[in-house]
Amino acid sequence: MSSYLIGIDIGTTLTKGVLIDDEGGILSQAEEPCHLYCEHPAWSEEDPNEWWENTTLIISRLLKGVESKRIAAIGVSGMVPALVLLDRNGHPLRRSIQQNDARTGREIQEMKNAIDEENFFQITGGSINQQLIAPKLRWLRRHEPENLAQTWRIVGSYDFINYRLTERYSLDHNWALESGLYDLRSGKWGSELVALAGIDESILPTINSSEKVIGTVSSAAAAETGLNEGTPVIAGAADHVASAFAAGVWNDGDVLLKFGGAGDILYSTNYLVADRRLFIDYHLVPGKYLLNGCMATSGSLVKWFVRSFCGSDLTEAKELNRSVYEFLDSRIDNLPPGSDGIILLPYFLGEKTPLHDPVARGTIFGLDLHHDRYHLFKAMLESVVYGFRHHFDVLAERELPIRRVFASDGGARSNTWLQIAADVLQYPIVRVLKHPGSALGAAFLAAKAVGVVSRWEAVENYVDLDRPFEPRVEAEEIYDRYYKIYRNIYESLKPLFVELADVRNIALKQ
């Protein structure tokens, strides 16, 4: 009799779940929306209680018609490193502060003044940037000291769900690695780094590797979800790591482009490579690593544009029984490369990699009176791919070869966007089909952890690959020139972004 596994993914805009068997079958999927709160400039927050409510709904749905005793294990993935403060009873003290939150410009500068950046790099393998946990903790100490004083434990997104499932605190090693509190050389929390964050190390749970079984489903969680009490739960995985693994990115030089709420670039390497402009992750396959680029906005930027400016398109698409994204694609397919002279900077929440600039802002350059929202929409899609190309430049500078390029997540459903990607990057782009994303990687990892599957390569049984989108030679030169302008726009505006942030902060205080 086949064993079943459940994978849950806590994403920026959706909580997703998948039920798989141990023979390559994806049996069912479910999802629930989550709300991203951006109530102040550069803020990005979510409600952990909503993640749990979504998880209980999704698991209940996945278990319909399934004997819960056949669930061999559960794996959870999610955004990293989200910051969740829990009180002594395990209740969130406030909304999570997300990894793409960019409120901590002042705190980042304070950290740069407090510790030598070269020393920080040698300890952590990364740079001082907006994604780190320490600047967020320093911000909380300054603005919400009462919440920080009541904090009993700090966890991430999927670690919170694991706590609700098992009543055990744990942090996945990739949360630790990306937090800026972790000593890469010792594999432990760095005392100097923890002190820099202004917290006591006791509020940081034990670090566990992704595949480790950290506990079992509690009686309370069993009652809420329908799971069997005692079902094993693993430490879980960062969403981008789980997604890259499930997509087949494990050979040296493989790249995954994730067209999700954020834009992720995952590069598989057999060697530990540190670069200040990128993040490092442990691969799910032991002994391998992932160089990780993450752009603050990608799909979330597209959703914002549609919500804000495309009301009539939503109506017309509905009348045609099409998604609004399919409808918009059809309107831009005949527009020339470069959107007839518009270049957009997609830094609507600052930018993470490779710039690490929390005060950078979204910019539209080259507008004419003949342009309309469809030109802007195409420019937005192009801007995300220009961001991907910037990461490819970093890999080239490090003499890291790119051998295969895959694409996944919601935006990869768009033929238009993938063709733009192939044209801008000048690499064939292979879409991963039948891929539930990170939830699949988490479910498979759970199967591997409890011995239901024995071979890492067996994950290939769960996904299919589409035909490659080939780069068009005629688009290469024009996109090269637009991309050069794209890079120069940021460099030209960089000092003005700083000045703008200062003026806005003054205005907000008045």
Side-chain angles (χ1 to χ4, degrees):
M1 182 180 292
S2 295
S3 295
Y4 295 159
L5 297 306
I6 286 178
I8 301 293
D9 177 53
I10 310 302
T12 304
T13 57
L14 290 171
T15 307
K16 299 179 181 179
V18 61
L19 177 71
I20 67 173
D21 63 24
D22 56 0
E23 300 175 339
I26 298 176
L27 306 180
S28 61
Q29 301 179 54
E31 62 183 39
E32 288 289 329
C34 21
H35 299 89
L36 181 65
Y37 297 90
C38 301
E39 296 172 347
H40 301 280
W43 285 33
S44 178
E45 299 184 342
E46 296 204 1
D47 180 0
N49 291 316
E50 183 180 42
W51 300 338
W52 176 244
E53 291 168 6
N54 286 351
T55 297
T56 61
L57 287 171
I58 286 169
I59 292 176
S60 299
R61 211 171 298 157
L62 294 175
L63 289 176
K64 284 185 179 178
V66 174
E67 293 180 272
S68 58
K69 65 182 181 182
R70 294 183 66 183
I71 305 299
I74 299 164
V76 186
S77 67
M79 306 160 287
V80 63
L83 174 60
V84 181
L85 309 182
L86 301 181
D87 65 16
R88 285 181 175 270
N89 297 312
H91 300 147
L93 288 162
R94 68 182 316 284
R95 292 175 187 158
S96 68
I97 301 180
Q98 296 301 100
Q99 66 284 352
N100 57 357
D101 187 281
R103 75 184 70 182
T104 57
R106 176 180 177 183
E107 289 73 26
I108 289 170
Q109 190 56 53
E110 288 174 348
M111 285 185 61
K112 290 181 177 181
N113 295 337
I115 187 171
D116 179 73
E117 291 189 67
E118 177 61 27
N119 184 34
F120 185 87
F121 175 70
Q122 293 301 322
I123 298 172
T124 67
S127 64
I128 300 173
N129 59 75
Q130 74 180 71
Q131 177 161 291
L132 300 183
I133 293 296
K136 297 177 175 66
L137 292 170
R138 292 173 71 101
W139 185 94
L140 287 164
R141 184 167 298 282
R142 173 172 283 125
H143 297 281
E144 300 178 15
E146 68 287 353
N147 281 332
L148 202 54
Q150 295 178 63
T151 298
W152 177 248
R153 290 291 183 271
I154 289 172
V155 294
S157 60
Y158 48 107
D159 311 292
F160 173 70
I161 299 303
N162 285 339
Y163 169 74
R164 291 302 305 264
L165 287 169
T166 67
E167 299 179 3
R168 290 178 179 267
Y169 295 109
S170 169
L171 279 171
D172 167 50
H173 60 178
N174 273 327
W175 189 99
L177 185 55
E178 293 200 26
S179 70
L181 304 173
Y182 178 78
D183 188 327
L184 183 60
R185 300 166 298 186
S186 69
K188 298 177 181 179
W189 300 119
S191 56
E192 181 181 5
L193 304 173
V194 173
L196 193 62
I199 59 170
D200 191 287
E201 190 174 321
S202 64
I203 69 175
L204 294 167
T206 301
I207 303 168
N208 289 300
S209 58
S210 297
E211 76 282 359
K212 183 173 181 178
V213 175
I214 60 164
T216 60
V217 172
S218 68
S219 58
E224 287 192 73
T225 61
L227 291 164
N228 257 21
E229 183 179 354
T231 304
V233 178
I234 63 170
D239 53 1
H240 54 279
V241 175
S243 182
F245 168 75
V249 175
W250 47 27
N251 292 323
D252 201 45
D254 285 349
V255 180
L256 176 67
L257 305 177
K258 280 189 64 181
F259 291 79
D264 289 322
I265 306 92
L266 289 309
Y267 179 88
S268 180
T269 172
N270 296 333
Y271 307 97
L272 178 60
V273 180
D275 191 291
R276 290 175 177 80
R277 293 166 290 184
L278 303 175
F279 306 123
I280 311 169
D281 288 295
Y282 294 110
H283 203 293
L284 293 193
V285 179
K288 293 178 179 287
Y289 299 88
L290 286 172
L291 278 177
N292 164 22
C294 183
M295 298 161 58
T297 58
S298 176
S300 57
L301 178 57
V302 174
K303 287 190 174 184
W304 165 82
F305 183 82
V306 170
R307 183 177 66 249
S308 301
F309 304 109
C310 299
S312 61
D313 297 300
L314 283 163
T315 302
E316 193 169 348
K318 188 175 181 179
E319 291 173 354
L320 295 172
N321 198 29
R322 303 173 70 184
S323 78
V324 67
Y325 303 107
E326 290 175 322
F327 180 81
L328 289 170
D329 281 355
S330 71
R331 291 294 188 271
I332 68 172
D333 278 336
N334 291 325
L335 294 179
S339 305
D340 203 9
I342 296 180
I343 301 173
L344 187 142
L345 301 186
Y347 311 142
F348 282 56
L349 280 173
E351 188 54 297
K352 293 165 72 175
T353 63
L355 300 178
H356 296 303
D357 187 348
V359 301
R361 282 298 170 266
T363 304
I364 301 170
F365 180 80
L367 276 175
D368 248 323
L369 287 177
H370 78 283
H371 288 132
D372 57 27
R373 64 182 178 277
Y374 302 121
H375 291 91
L376 286 172
F377 183 72
K378 183 166 187 176
M380 192 163 292
L381 302 186
E382 290 171 331
S383 74
V384 172
V385 183
Y386 292 151
F388 288 156
R389 180 164 170 174
H390 194 171
H391 290 81
F392 278 34
D393 286 354
V394 173
L395 295 174
E397 288 172 28
R398 297 303 303 268
E399 298 183 345
L400 295 169
I402 295 171
R403 294 190 169 92
R404 296 188 300 174
V405 183
F406 301 92
S408 71
D409 286 51
R413 297 172 190 157
S414 167
N415 291 344
T416 299
W417 209 350
L418 291 193
Q419 187 59 59
I420 290 171
D423 291 343
V424 171
L425 301 172
Q426 285 295 301
Y427 280 94
I429 310 293
V430 178
R431 175 164 50 200
V432 182
L433 300 172
K434 203 184 69 171
H435 181 17
S438 307
L440 172 60
F444 183 88
L445 186 62
K448 187 73 170 59
V450 298
V452 169
V453 297
S454 58
R455 297 171 54 254
W456 291 105
E457 293 81 5
V459 74
E460 294 177 338
N461 298 330
Y462 295 89
V463 297
D464 294 321
L465 300 180
D466 197 2
R467 64 170 178 84
F469 287 76
E470 297 289 346
R472 295 177 294 190
V473 176
E474 64 272 20
E476 181 176 6
E477 181 181 356
I478 189 67
Y479 270 132
D480 282 350
R481 297 181 69 178
Y482 274 120
Y483 173 69
K484 183 178 180 181
I485 298 171
Y486 165 87
R487 293 287 302 273
N488 286 335
I489 292 170
Y490 168 74
E491 293 300 330
S492 298
L493 293 180
K494 189 174 179 179
L496 293 178
F497 287 141
V498 175
E499 187 175 342
L500 177 64
D502 290 341
V503 172
R504 184 171 61 187
N505 288 336
I506 293 169
L508 287 171
K509 291 175 183 177
Q510 293 178 345

